[in-house]
């Protein structure tokens, strides 16, 4: 029985198992990249939403501080107890 040697120049395609593995790896990488992109977009939307909520709450805090100052004068408030402490000069 004679063994045939395959010359590299004669090979025109990789074997089907190798092709399948390459296609599977490529498919996985495509899905992974897509998932990362979707996560990144989701993150940016959530971040923008939270920053917007923070801005609204900062405005609310400013309005409340102004109302407290108008009612009680220049004071400090213990945030845990609500106790009023005169502002030191």
């Amino acid at each position: 029985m004679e063994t045939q040697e395959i010359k590299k120049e004669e090979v025109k395609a990789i074997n089907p198992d190798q092709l399948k593995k390459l296609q599977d790896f490529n498919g996985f990488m495509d899905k992974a990249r897509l998932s990362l992109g979707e996560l990144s977009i989701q993150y940016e939307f959530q971040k923008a939403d939270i920053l917007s909520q923070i801005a609204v709450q900062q405005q609310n805090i400013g309005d409340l501080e102004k109302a407290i100052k108008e009612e009680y004068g220049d004071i400090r408030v213990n945030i845990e107890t609500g106790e009023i402490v005169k502002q030191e000069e």
Side-chain angles (χ1 to χ4, degrees), residues 34-80:
L34 181 62
S35 293
L36 280 174
E38 289 172 354
L39 283 173
S40 179
I41 291 169
Q42 231 176 7
Y43 164 79
E44 291 300 327
F45 281 134
Q46 288 179 342
K47 179 180 170 184
D49 184 48
I50 291 169
L51 288 172
S52 174
Q53 291 176 31
I54 288 171
V56 168
Q57 292 305 316
Q58 285 177 325
Q59 181 64 46
N60 292 340
I61 289 170
D63 293 346
L64 180 59
E65 286 174 341
K66 183 179 176 184
I68 290 171
K69 189 172 185 176
E70 287 174 1
E71 185 172 343
Y72 298 99
D74 195 16
I75 62 164
R76 284 187 311 129
V77 177
N78 180 322
I79 196 76
E80 292 177 11

Side-chain angles (χ1 to χ4, degrees), residues 2-32:
E2 191 175 305
T3 310
Q4 281 190 332
E5 191 174 308
I6 300 175
K7 295 180 183 177
K8 290 181 183 177
E9 297 85 30
E10 293 175 3
V11 177
K12 300 291 183 193
I14 61 175
N15 74 50
D17 290 337
Q18 291 171 325
L19 177 59
K20 174 76 171 113
K21 286 180 182 178
L22 278 175
Q23 290 170 338
D24 289 347
F25 291 147
N26 191 54
F28 170 81
M29 293 301 288
D30 287 345
K31 288 178 184 175

